[in-house]
Amino acid sequence: VTVSARYRALAGQAVDESIPILVTLTPGNFTALEKKFEASNRKFTREHIDGAPAEREAARIEAISDRFEEWLGSVSAAQQRLIAEYVRAQPANQALRLADRKTRQRELLEILRWERDPAVMREKLHAFFVDYEARRDPAFIRASRQWQERVVTLVADILAVASPAQREYAAARLKRYAEDCRALADEGRGKLPPGTRAAETATQPGA
């Protein structure tokens, strides 16, 4: 099973489980979400578009290092060099990424704000999150796929030089993550809309 297939399955289940809450959102919720998107876009612009290239590069190296540190507990000098090489090899497609972010945010808000029928909302959100490439700019899709390939290579290179302590830390983190996912799934059972894929899965023997 590919990473993409796993994402689609998880995204579909997440949509099914979220519908009962999403149809109850209020205008105040939408305003708050808009402000959150605006703040996120300003942060993205500040870190990836504005400022001197050297400063943006250093910020990206630091941000990626922090993410790996969350999963490995630490980042060695060799791993830091791999991250720096990855960042410096990236094409300058930040403006394309920002435009795609804004388009997706606008489309999501339109679905949430104007669609109150749970079945129709589910259909539209499945199209938005599961079939996410269908309505996106072909140029962005190409860039995104290339980025995904580079990220997979970076993760493999980082893990190839990981210490035993880092591997142990990552295994413990993954175990906690799996336990959290199981707890959320158990909590959501019995609250799912009838007829959804998540509801059918939850009621199957051994689920």
Side-chain angles (χ1 to χ4, degrees):
V1 181
T2 65
V3 172
S4 178
R6 290 176 180 172
Y7 163 79
R8 292 176 191 275
L10 290 172
Q13 182 173 344
V15 167
D16 288 349
E17 296 179 359
S18 301
I19 294 299
I21 297 173
L22 295 178
V23 295
T24 67
L25 294 181
T26 66
N29 295 135
F30 301 136
T31 299
L33 186 57
E34 285 179 324
K35 290 181 178 179
K36 183 175 181 180
F37 284 156
E38 291 170 358
S40 175
N41 291 335
R42 287 195 297 271
K43 183 174 184 290
F44 182 93
T45 300
R46 183 173 64 253
E47 294 181 352
H48 298 281
I49 297 178
D50 292 342
E55 293 176 352
R56 295 201 305 267
E57 180 181 286
R60 292 186 65 202
I61 291 172
E62 182 179 1
I64 295 173
S65 297
D66 288 345
R67 293 193 191 101
F68 275 107
E69 189 169 342
E70 289 177 3
W71 284 94
L72 299 176
S74 63
V75 175
S76 69
Q79 290 165 332
Q80 189 78 14
R81 285 193 294 272
L82 289 170
I83 294 169
E85 291 170 2
Y86 162 82
V87 169
R88 290 166 186 150
Q90 295 304 298
N93 60 3
Q94 291 84 355
L96 185 65
R97 291 171 57 195
L98 180 61
D100 180 76
R101 283 165 62 100
K102 290 183 176 179
T103 298
R104 296 277 290 173
Q105 290 164 358
R106 183 176 64 254
E107 291 176 350
L108 179 58
L109 275 168
E110 288 177 356
I111 295 171
L112 297 179
R113 176 176 278 129
W114 302 115
E115 191 50 69
R116 298 291 88 190
D117 184 308
V120 178
M121 178 182 281
R122 175 182 178 272
E123 180 181 353
K124 290 184 176 181
L125 288 179
H126 266 268
F128 183 87
F129 286 109
V130 181
D131 301 323
Y132 56 90
E133 289 188 344
R135 297 169 59 186
R136 300 181 100 161
D137 185 337
F140 178 83
I141 293 174
R142 288 192 298 271
S144 179
R145 290 176 178 173
Q146 293 169 357
W147 170 79
Q148 290 173 8
E149 292 174 358
R150 287 190 290 267
V151 168
V152 169
T153 299
L154 174 63
V155 171
D157 290 344
I158 292 289
L159 293 179
V161 296
S163 68
Q166 286 178 320
R167 292 178 182 276
E168 182 177 347
Y169 188 97
R173 174 71 184 267
L174 282 171
K175 182 179 179 181
R176 292 195 301 272
Y177 182 77
E179 290 171 348
D180 290 343
C181 288
R182 283 195 294 271
L184 287 172
D186 290 341
E187 183 179 335
R189 288 176 181 174
K191 303 177 183 178
L192 307 180
T196 62
R197 180 170 54 189
E200 292 168 358
T201 300
T203 56
Q204 289 175 355

